[in-house]
Amino acid sequence: MADLHSALHNLRAKAVATEAAKAAPRAPLIEIFWSIQGEGRFVGVPMAFLRVATCPLRCTYCDTPHSYEAPPTFPVKTALRELREPNPSNSERAADLVKMVTTQSGQAPKVPRLSITGGEPLVFPDFVKELGRKVRAHGFRAHLETAAHDPKALQQCIEQVDHLSADYKLPETIGGQSYAAQHVQCCQIAIQRGASVDVKIVLNQRTTDAGLEKAFADLQVVREKILLVLQPATPMQQDRGPENVDLQRWVALTARAGFDLRVLPQVHRALRVP
């Protein structure tokens, strides 16, 4: 009789888990992997990465154009093997895969972290929220890397985000369109929630003094609460970075504007890591 009760209990638990998975929000993914890639203040910090497919923006320096459209399946890369998972993935399954990738990394981080990146994760705020909830329940810190173009979407998921890496897109690097107000509002939402915030500005041959000065003026309202990251474009980003004389002048402009500053190009490809 005890065995029968145990079997019934297990069947009910499986049924509940199946229904929960069906109800969980879904998103198309490009990949899940482990890396020292990082962004901003977390460059070189080992963590799991989950890359969401699709992006409504087209930056001249984009190095992940393959993320614009979702493949039928996506890879989950661990230290032991590579799996293929069907798209779209639900947040329950994605959280389990993140835990598996972290466990099998062999690096046993003191504070496990997940970077939710893209593409553009804010296209799927419900997925980001539930994924963040799941991994944070297991002790992870949830990082969100975003173009910060949709404050409404960010507001829907920010309670499950510990760190925001937000872009400030200079109009000259994105076809002339400005998202300045949205960028600032996203920073304010994250700061109010208590998340740490990095703001990244990519520098390339199109960058101008006037464009940067406008960005610094816009960001003054959050200056004391953010780390500003100037990211010179690299050949890996399909774009040309600035000349050294320009970079030095822009660093001086940033200092005069009073920001806590780092100059950090993307380094993971130079290190030949994912």
Side-chain angles (χ1 to χ4, degrees):
M1 185 63 72
D3 288 343
L4 179 58
H5 282 306
S6 177
L8 288 172
H9 175 78
N10 290 337
L11 284 173
R12 291 193 191 98
K14 288 180 181 179
V16 169
T18 299
E19 289 304 311
K22 288 180 180 178
R26 296 173 177 266
L29 304 183
I30 293 296
E31 57 187 339
I32 299 175
F33 60 99
W34 181 265
S35 182
I36 57 171
Q37 181 179 136
E39 279 279 348
R41 72 185 76 185
F42 291 98
V43 164
V45 177
M47 66 181 78
F49 284 77
L50 179 147
R51 190 177 299 283
V52 176
T54 74
C55 182
L57 308 181
R58 293 293 182 269
C59 303
T60 60
Y61 53 80
C62 181
D63 65 340
T64 55
H66 61 283
S67 68
Y68 297 163
E69 295 184 9
T73 65
F74 64 92
V76 180
K77 304 168 186 175
T78 77
L80 304 177
R81 55 182 174 161
E82 180 174 312
L83 309 176
R84 302 296 304 192
E85 287 280 319
N87 262 324
S89 178
N90 68 58
S91 56
E92 298 262 350
R93 178 60 176 164
D96 287 342
L97 293 170
V98 166
K99 287 160 54 184
M100 181 186 72
V101 165
T102 301
T103 300
Q104 294 186 9
S105 70
Q107 298 178 5
K110 179 181 273 188
V111 179
R113 298 177 186 273
L114 167 64
S115 178
I116 306 167
T117 182
E120 178 46 62
L122 288 184
V123 176
F124 306 99
D126 290 339
F127 176 85
V128 172
K129 179 179 179 179
E130 291 307 312
L131 174 62
R133 187 194 308 279
K134 282 289 180 183
V135 298
R136 292 176 79 239
H138 292 282
F140 280 72
R141 304 280 285 177
H143 296 213
L144 177 62
E145 297 180 25
T146 172
H149 70 298
D150 190 341
K152 183 177 179 181
L154 180 62
Q155 189 72 70
Q156 293 176 44
C157 60
I158 192 62
E159 68 182 71
Q160 299 300 333
V161 173
D162 299 292
H163 173 75
L164 180 71
S165 180
D167 288 349
Y168 182 106
K169 305 284 189 186
L170 296 173
E172 54 264 37
T173 65
I174 194 166
Q177 186 166 355
S178 174
Y179 292 93
Q182 292 95 321
H183 295 330
V184 172
Q185 191 175 348
C186 283
C187 290
Q188 291 172 323
I189 289 169
I191 291 167
Q192 184 176 13
R193 178 258 184 268
S196 55
V197 179
D198 293 350
V199 175
K200 178 183 71 179
I201 302 179
V202 174
L203 309 176
N204 63 12
Q205 292 287 313
R206 299 173 182 82
T207 304
T208 64
D209 290 16
L212 281 176
E213 288 171 341
K214 169 67 164 55
F216 298 157
D218 292 335
L219 292 167
Q220 280 297 316
V221 294
V222 294
R223 183 190 68 191
E224 297 299 325
K225 299 291 186 179
I226 67 171
L227 173 67
L228 187 64
V229 179
L230 298 183
Q231 187 180 90
T234 70
M236 292 84 166
Q237 290 175 287
Q238 315 300 318
D239 211 344
R240 288 184 59 197
E243 301 297 332
N244 182 61
V245 63
D246 295 321
L247 179 59
Q248 296 299 330
R249 186 176 66 257
W250 294 336
V251 169
L253 286 176
T254 312
R256 287 199 293 273
F259 288 91
D260 185 7
L261 170 69
R262 305 290 185 276
V263 180
L264 291 170
Q266 285 190 341
V267 298
H268 62 285
R269 302 215 175 186
L271 295 173
R272 298 181 182 179
V273 300

